[in-house]
Amino acid sequence: MAIEQQHQIPVDYLDDENNDNGPTPYVSFQLEEGDTTRMAGAAAVTSPSDTVLMMMGNDRADDDDDNNSQMDRSIILSVATADGIHDRSGFYIVCLVILIGDMSRGAMFPSMWPLVQELGGSQVTLGYSVAAFSFGRILVNPIFGSWSVTYGYAKTLKFAVSILLIGEFFYSQVQNVGHTQFLIVAQTILGIGSGTLGVTRAFVADVTAKRHRTTYMAWITAVQYGGFTVTPFFGALFNKVLQDNDFKYGFFRLNMYTAPAYFMAVITIFTLIMMKMHFPDRQRIETQKNKKGKSSRRTAMEDHANQKACSWLCPITIYDCCILGCMLLNLSTKGSIASFETLGISFANTHFDLESSYAGAVVGTCGSCGVIALLSMGYLVSHFSDIQLISGGMMIMALGIISLSQLEEGDDNPTWRYWISIFMIYSIGYPIGHTAVIGLFSKIVGRRPQGMLLGWFASAGSLARMIFPITSGYIAHFNDVSTLFYLLTCVLIVSSVFVICSREILKTLSS
């Protein structure tokens, strides 16, 4: 058996957080033809191309039986490349779960406002309908995050996707029932089924290296973002093709309102099949603590983070303040985009005289550009810090929103202004700024169990998607949409100023 020593930094499970002296070496065991080796209870490896990466340290030099369980864990955790993902099939399945979770919102986006009008509802009803989706997520995000640690990722995600399928069936029957209240119930069930953001982000945090976490979070955010900004293309297509068609057979009804639900049901069933075949049960594996103790640099940083931020007002630590601050940033970015999700179609119709299918195509096109921006996050994070990306993204969102504030309803407003505003919000500001917030939060949490915290983080975003749409509906109904745009601009500017003023402590805790 040929042994080759390599000096690369393995994934975070192999990283020594307390080692200030550079990367930890590990050994690559390349099997010769015909070799069969079983190491500390690991599965036998017979292929000459198989490589087993194993930590080599002074405290693991012996082959005593007492160390077998530790060696087991080391071998399992070490089958990874230095900069890659050590569970690629699981990562792809998780991406699919993320995609269908937000497709269940994006595919319905172009037909939501016409459906509410068909049921006799107003903009306030639309606000409650959009908020119901996020309300469902709030109910289960922390719970699913906790279950992912207790019961494993596979069982939690399969249960959630099954509920999503039930919600899609309910949505397909909204027009048959004929009440806006049933639409709100269907939206709530869809939200419960898609309330897996904390679970999926925790999974990605488990299988990726911390130093590249923002890049990988950008990848899954690109999938999520594509789900609710690119898939309106499908909703717009259904609107165009089935606008004057309505096929009925018993309780089955196919038209522009139900087609997105049936379309999503097919994709959801496919996802469940793929999870059954390629997503075995997997639980979070805790990192082994370093027996040598913490370095002075790590100790000093943790002492600083555990200091009381303002003991005279509230006895919370600086670390807690940063966690809370990131959740508030998530709330401001998610809330702003949720307001456009609520009023984007109706605003395009009243101020630019655009059909819902055309407005959906605009959002889908700009969302596609946003996905490209997210896939470029690896390049962006190599040139800009998370702080710069967050503040810059929020300022671009604010510019895009304020550019629409002076438009009057019924005027002959040029369509290009709608295009530019949506481009600034959906293609640049939100995808870059919000993704940087997720990456910053995950880095601050570090190697602590992330399922529960990321569940609460996702709930903060869902809370914003519940409060902002309802508030937006009331403001647009009883006042005017310009007032709403001024308020959203203020929220984003204040958030950006907070990030800039707190940049030093945020950089320290996320390093």
Side-chain angles (χ1 to χ4, degrees), residues 235-439:
L237 178 63
F238 295 138
N239 283 13
K240 195 71 174 177
V241 174
L242 299 172
Q243 187 171 10
D244 300 318
N245 298 303
D246 192 1
F247 304 98
K248 297 181 182 179
Y249 186 78
F251 65 85
F252 177 81
R253 188 172 185 177
L254 180 63
N255 53 37
M256 61 180 284
Y257 306 122
T258 62
Y262 292 126
F263 171 71
M264 283 304 308
V266 172
I267 299 178
T268 303
I269 293 172
F270 171 77
T271 302
L272 284 171
I273 294 173
M274 296 301 294
M275 293 178 71
K276 179 68 175 178
M277 297 173 58
H278 302 291
F279 196 62
D281 202 7
R282 179 183 185 279
Q283 288 182 301
R284 176 183 170 85
I285 302 175
E286 302 294 340
T287 307
Q288 293 288 333
K289 294 183 178 180
N290 184 9
K291 298 179 180 180
K292 298 180 180 178
K294 300 177 181 178
S295 67
S296 57
R297 181 176 63 88
R298 172 67 59 178
T299 302
M301 188 185 75
E302 291 188 356
D303 288 344
H304 180 62
N306 291 326
Q307 291 178 0
K308 301 298 181 182
C310 48
S311 56
W312 58 273
L313 180 64
C314 184
I316 62 176
T317 64
I318 294 176
Y319 170 80
D320 294 331
C321 285
C322 290
I323 292 292
L324 179 60
C326 287
M327 290 187 178
L328 293 177
L329 293 176
N330 185 33
L331 189 144
S332 63
T333 53
K334 278 286 189 70
S336 299
I337 203 73
S339 295
F340 272 86
E341 180 186 348
T342 306
L343 300 177
I345 298 296
S346 61
F347 179 79
N349 180 257
T350 57
H351 288 71
F352 295 94
D353 196 25
L354 300 178
E355 295 182 355
S356 61
S357 58
Y358 185 88
V362 172
V363 173
T365 301
C366 294
S368 301
C369 297
V371 171
I372 295 174
L374 287 169
L375 295 177
S376 304
M377 283 294 288
Y379 174 81
L380 293 176
V381 297
S382 65
H383 291 78
F384 303 97
S385 67
D386 288 335
I387 308 301
Q388 293 170 326
L389 293 175
I390 292 170
S391 56
M394 287 185 169
M395 292 305 296
I396 292 175
M397 283 187 71
L399 289 174
I401 292 173
I402 201 68
S403 67
L404 297 176
S405 60
Q406 299 299 322
L407 300 179
E408 295 294 334
E409 182 176 347
D411 288 353
D412 187 19
N413 299 309
T415 306
W416 62 265
R417 293 191 63 174
Y418 184 75
W419 272 96
I420 289 180
S421 176
I422 297 300
F423 179 82
M424 294 178 71
I425 297 169
Y426 280 82
S427 301
I428 304 175
Y430 177 79
I432 293 177
H434 179 66
T435 303
V437 171
I438 298 173

Side-chain angles (χ1 to χ4, degrees), residues 2 6 22 61 83 122 165 438 458:
Q6 303 180 21
D83 296 316
S122 63
L165 183 61
I438 298 173

